[in-house]
């Protein structure tokens, strides 16, 4: 039996997302996680401690907060997506070491940038599996694991099933 873990929506770099307890800021100084982030971080550490070796890790979008163009980065402690990515990779590294394979699915363009550029860069940096098109991430993953099919996407813009059964 294969062990598979799917996780998403870290939003690292946001005041509301998961982040390390202390982050060195590129302009100098440090950001210390707020009370809510420390709570999330404690639960994250519990997950890391609980999860055994896994066969497949599915990272399903919105790894970072992104540029936050609607809020003009007022809800981020790290405005630069590259710095957000470094903090995300620090967080995800313990799970990467437990996983035989990692697949990355792009999230929303609001967080993962146009065409999922940030997700692609992160996926390449962490050594995610390549997709059939040669990239390291994609919008919709169809994965066959020993005859069990996984249909994985971060979100959908329109229903692709019967009209009465879209995600609510």
């Amino acid at each position: 039996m294969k062990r598979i873990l799917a996780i998403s929506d870290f939003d690292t770099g946001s005041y509301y997302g998961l982040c390390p307890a202390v982050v060195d800021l590129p302009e100098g100084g440090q950001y210390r996680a707020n009370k809510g982030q420390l709570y999330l971080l404690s639960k994250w550490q519990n997950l890391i401690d609980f999860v055994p070796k896994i066969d497949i890790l599915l990272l399903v979008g919105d790894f970072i907060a992104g540029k936050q163009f609607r809020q003009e980065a007022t809800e981020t402690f790290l405005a630069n997506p590259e710095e957000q990515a470094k903090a995300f990779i620090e967080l995800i590294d313990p799970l990467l070491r437990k996983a035989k394979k990692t697949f990355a699915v792009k999230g929303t363009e609001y967080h993962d940038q146009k065409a999922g550029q940030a997700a692609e860069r992160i996926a390449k940096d962490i050594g995610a599996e390549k997709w059939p098109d040669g990239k390291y991430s994609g919008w919709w993953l169809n994965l066959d694991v020993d005859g069990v099919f996984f249909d994985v996407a971060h979100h959908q813009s329109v229903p692709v099933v019967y009209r009465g059964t879209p995600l609510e």
Side-chain angles (χ1 to χ4, degrees):
M1 179 162 77
K2 300 275 183 174
R3 293 177 188 257
I4 300 169
L5 175 63
I7 50 178
S8 70
D9 295 276
F10 286 79
D11 297 328
T12 301
S14 163
Y15 291 118
Y16 311 106
L18 183 64
C19 76
V22 177
V23 177
D24 291 328
L25 300 173
E27 61 275 4
Q30 294 180 321
Y31 173 78
R32 297 192 181 281
N34 63 43
K35 186 177 180 180
Q37 289 171 316
L38 290 173
Y39 174 79
L40 288 174
L41 186 59
S42 73
K43 298 306 175 191
W44 176 249
Q45 189 58 54
N46 289 348
L47 175 73
I48 290 169
D49 294 342
F50 175 77
V51 171
K53 295 279 186 187
I54 52 179
D55 296 293
I56 298 172
L57 175 61
L58 300 173
L59 299 176
V60 191
D62 291 357
F63 312 140
I64 62 171
K67 293 184 178 181
Q68 299 275 312
F69 55 87
R70 278 188 226 127
Q71 286 87 11
E72 298 176 351
T74 59
E75 296 182 0
T76 62
F77 64 89
L78 284 172
N80 183 330
E82 294 294 328
E83 296 297 323
Q84 295 173 9
K86 287 179 191 175
F88 170 75
I89 292 169
E90 179 182 333
L91 290 166
I92 199 68
D93 185 64
L95 283 183
L96 295 172
R97 286 186 272 120
K98 290 185 175 197
K100 290 179 186 172
K101 290 184 177 184
T102 300
F103 291 90
V105 177
K106 296 174 183 180
T108 60
E109 287 190 342
Y110 187 75
H111 295 292
D112 287 342
Q113 298 181 305
K114 290 287 182 195
Q117 295 169 357
E120 177 66 18
R121 207 167 32 253
I122 289 167
K124 184 176 181 182
D125 287 349
I126 65 173
E129 298 295 312
K130 278 191 174 182
W131 287 48
D133 64 1
K135 295 185 177 181
Y136 293 88
S137 66
W139 295 107
W140 204 319
L141 177 64
N142 290 297
L143 186 64
D144 177 353
V145 180
D146 297 339
V148 177
F149 295 92
F150 292 83
D151 182 0
V152 183
H154 180 268
H155 64 287
Q156 63 183 39
S157 58
V158 296
V160 291
V161 293
Y162 299 107
R163 278 188 305 173
T165 59
L167 299 174
E168 295 187 34

